[in-house]
Amino acid sequence: MYDCEQDRYTEFATTPARSTPSLRGELRAIHLGDNAGARQLTTLLAWASERGLAASLQQGKLLLQDVDVDQALQINRLFGNALIISCHLRRPGVA
């Protein structure tokens, strides 16, 4: 918190506290039908396999299971220009 009267921060942490469980769920990626997009889908599949994520690729659609929010954001940053990515995340234990 910033105290503007004293011009200082109070109760300020530089590292986020992770007291609540991270969001997790499934991520779907499809390519736009071009060869570059299909290669990116294969590259994403390899990326997911390196990280131990359960993945299935069928008919140009990739499904990744148990993706956390940090991984979803990283996937979007790395592959979002070539793939259509949708993600459904929730807190563990919430239906």
Side-chain angles (χ1 to χ4, degrees), residues 41-57 62-65 71 75 79:
L41 204 58
T42 304
T43 304
L44 175 53
L45 178 61
W47 184 93
S49 296
E50 289 171 3
R51 284 149 185 83
L53 295 172
S56 64
L57 178 61
L62 178 64
L63 174 64
L64 303 178
Q65 298 287 341
Q71 291 167 328
I75 290 167
F79 301 98

Side-chain angles (χ1 to χ4, degrees), residues 26-90:
E26 62 183 35
L27 181 139
R28 296 178 190 272
I30 59 172
H31 64 87
L32 301 173
D34 59 356
N35 288 337
R39 285 191 302 273
Q40 285 292 337
L41 204 58
T42 304
T43 304
L44 175 53
L45 178 61
W47 184 93
S49 296
E50 289 171 3
R51 284 149 185 83
L53 295 172
S56 64
L57 178 61
Q58 295 179 357
Q59 300 175 351
K61 297 178 184 178
L62 178 64
L63 174 64
L64 303 178
Q65 298 287 341
D66 201 33
V67 175
D68 68 30
V69 68
D70 294 328
Q71 291 167 328
L73 291 172
Q74 188 174 14
I75 290 167
N76 189 57
R77 184 175 46 81
L78 294 172
F79 301 98
N81 290 335
L83 302 173
I84 298 172
I85 298 171
S86 66
C87 196
H88 183 83
L89 304 175
R90 61 178 73 129

